[in-house]
Amino acid sequence: MIGEILGIPSAEHRGFDRMCAGIVDLSLPPKEAFENFTRLNDYVGGLVAQNHKNPTDGLIGALVEQRHGEVSDDEIVGMVGALVLAGHETSASTIALSTLALMQQPEQLAILLDDANSAADAAEELLRYMSVAGGFPRMATEDVAIGGYTVKAGEWVVASPLNANRDPEVVSGDPNTLDLTREPIQVMTFGSGIHQCPGQHLARAELQMALVPLFRRFPGLRLAVPAEQLSFHRFGPNVYALDALPVAW
C-alpha cells in the first residue's frame, strides 16, 4: 500500500519491503541499523532524482513536481522515512493480529462479514482492542493533576493508549473482550489533539480493505499451528507484532 502511494515501481515492492523491515527492527545493533537507514535513504534519493526527470503519479513525484521550491530533496527523503517508520509496521501488525483474533473468535468474524453491520465500526473496535503501539512520550507544558498525582511543567510522562482504550469508565461492557457490536469510542490508538497520527485515515482504510476481502476469499481460513506455538515480538519499546502467522484454508 505504501509502495503504491509513494510511486515505487511494482517490481521493486518486495525489495522495498525488506528495506522497511530493516529500519523498523529496533533490536538491531546500531551499526546495522544505521546501514539500513542509509540504504533506504539512498534508494529513495534515487527515486527523487528519477522523478526530477520523469515525474510519476505517486507522492514522491507529486512532491518533486509541485513543491515550488518549498521542500528540498533531503526533506522528501526524510518524509518517506517517517512514513515508513510510522505507517508500515504498525498497520501490518494490526492487520495480522486482527486476523488472528477473528480466526479464534468465529462469532466476531460473522459480525464483520455481515453486510448489515458497519465495517468501519468493526475496525474501530479492532483498533481499540489491539493497540499495538505501547506508549507516547509527552512533556507537560504546565502543572496538571492526573489521578491524584501532580505532573509538573517540564516533566515527561508516557501515555499508554492500550490502557486508555480499555478504560472501564469509557468502554461499555467488558473492555478486555473483543465485541464488534460495541458502540465505538474515541480510540487513543492514534494519539490525541494536535499530536494525532496524520496517517490514521489510511490505517483505518487499510484495515477494512484487508480483512473483509481476506475472509471472503478464504472462508475456511484457520491457524495451521496450535495458537500456543505462535511467537510475538516488539519493534523497540513500542510496536507489538507476530513473528509469523501460519494459516491454512
Side-chain angles (χ1 to χ4, degrees), residues 94 98-99 101-102 107-130 177-185 187 189 203-205 207-209 211-212:
T94 300
S98 295
T99 300
L102 291 167
E107 74 285 354
Q108 296 301 315
L109 176 58
I111 293 171
L112 175 70
L113 297 179
D114 186 343
D115 290 334
N117 298 317
S118 167
D121 287 352
E124 290 300 294
E125 171 66 0
L126 287 163
L127 287 165
R128 181 200 70 81
Y129 183 72
M130 297 302 168
T177 62
L178 178 66
D179 180 1
L180 298 189
T181 65
R182 194 192 308 274
E183 185 72 22
I185 65 167
V187 296
T189 305
R204 286 181 167 96
L207 187 59
Q208 293 178 53
M209 289 188 289
L211 294 177
V212 174

Side-chain angles (χ1 to χ4, degrees), residues 6-9 12 16 42-52 54 56 60-61 64:
L6 293 174
I8 293 172
E12 299 176 17
F16 177 71
D42 289 345
Y43 173 74
V44 176
L47 291 176
V48 172
Q50 292 174 24
N51 275 273
H52 276 293
N54 300 295
T56 64
I60 293 175
V64 168

Side-chain angles (χ1 to χ4, degrees), residues 4-223:
E4 290 287 342
I5 289 172
L6 293 174
I8 293 172
S10 298
E12 299 176 17
H13 280 189
R14 188 174 295 276
F16 177 71
D17 184 62
R18 285 196 293 266
M19 280 188 282
C20 292
I23 71 167
V24 298
D25 187 352
L26 301 182
S27 66
L28 295 175
K31 182 176 183 295
E32 186 175 347
F34 181 78
E35 290 173 351
N36 289 335
F37 268 107
T38 301
R39 189 176 300 112
L40 178 67
N41 287 344
D42 289 345
Y43 173 74
V44 176
L47 291 176
V48 172
Q50 292 174 24
N51 275 273
H52 276 293
K53 300 175 182 177
N54 300 295
T56 64
D57 293 333
L59 178 60
I60 293 175
L63 287 170
V64 168
E65 190 173 31
Q66 302 175 21
R67 64 188 182 179
H68 305 300
E70 296 178 358
V71 183
S72 69
D73 286 359
D74 286 343
E75 286 174 322
I76 294 175
V77 172
M79 282 190 283
V80 171
L83 178 61
V84 168
L85 279 171
H88 182 271
E89 190 59 36
T90 49
S91 294
S93 177
T94 300
I95 291 169
L97 290 168
S98 295
T99 300
L100 172 61
L102 291 167
M103 287 192 296
Q104 293 178 311
Q105 301 179 63
E107 74 285 354
Q108 296 301 315
L109 176 58
I111 293 171
L112 175 70
L113 297 179
D114 186 343
D115 290 334
N117 298 317
S118 167
D121 287 352
E124 290 300 294
E125 171 66 0
L126 287 163
L127 287 165
R128 181 200 70 81
Y129 183 72
M130 297 302 168
S131 300
V132 299
F136 304 118
R138 296 287 184 262
M139 186 179 72
T141 58
E142 59 184 33
D143 291 358
V144 58
I146 302 176
Y149 180 85
T150 299
V151 179
K152 296 180 179 179
E155 289 185 337
W156 285 89
V157 296
V158 176
S160 170
L162 188 152
N163 286 329
N165 284 341
R166 297 196 179 194
D167 185 347
E169 294 186 8
V170 178
V171 181
S172 61
D174 182 0
N176 296 316
T177 62
L178 178 66
D179 180 1
L180 298 189
T181 65
R182 194 192 308 274
E183 185 72 22
I185 65 167
Q186 182 179 349
V187 296
M188 297 297 291
T189 305
F190 300 106
S192 179
I194 63 172
H195 297 290
Q196 288 188 66
C197 171
Q200 60 182 291
H201 303 298
L202 172 62
R204 286 181 167 96
E206 288 175 328
L207 187 59
Q208 293 178 53
M209 289 188 289
L211 294 177
V212 174
L214 172 66
F215 283 102
R216 282 187 173 154
R217 182 171 180 181
F218 302 102
L221 196 67
R222 62 191 184 278
L223 276 173

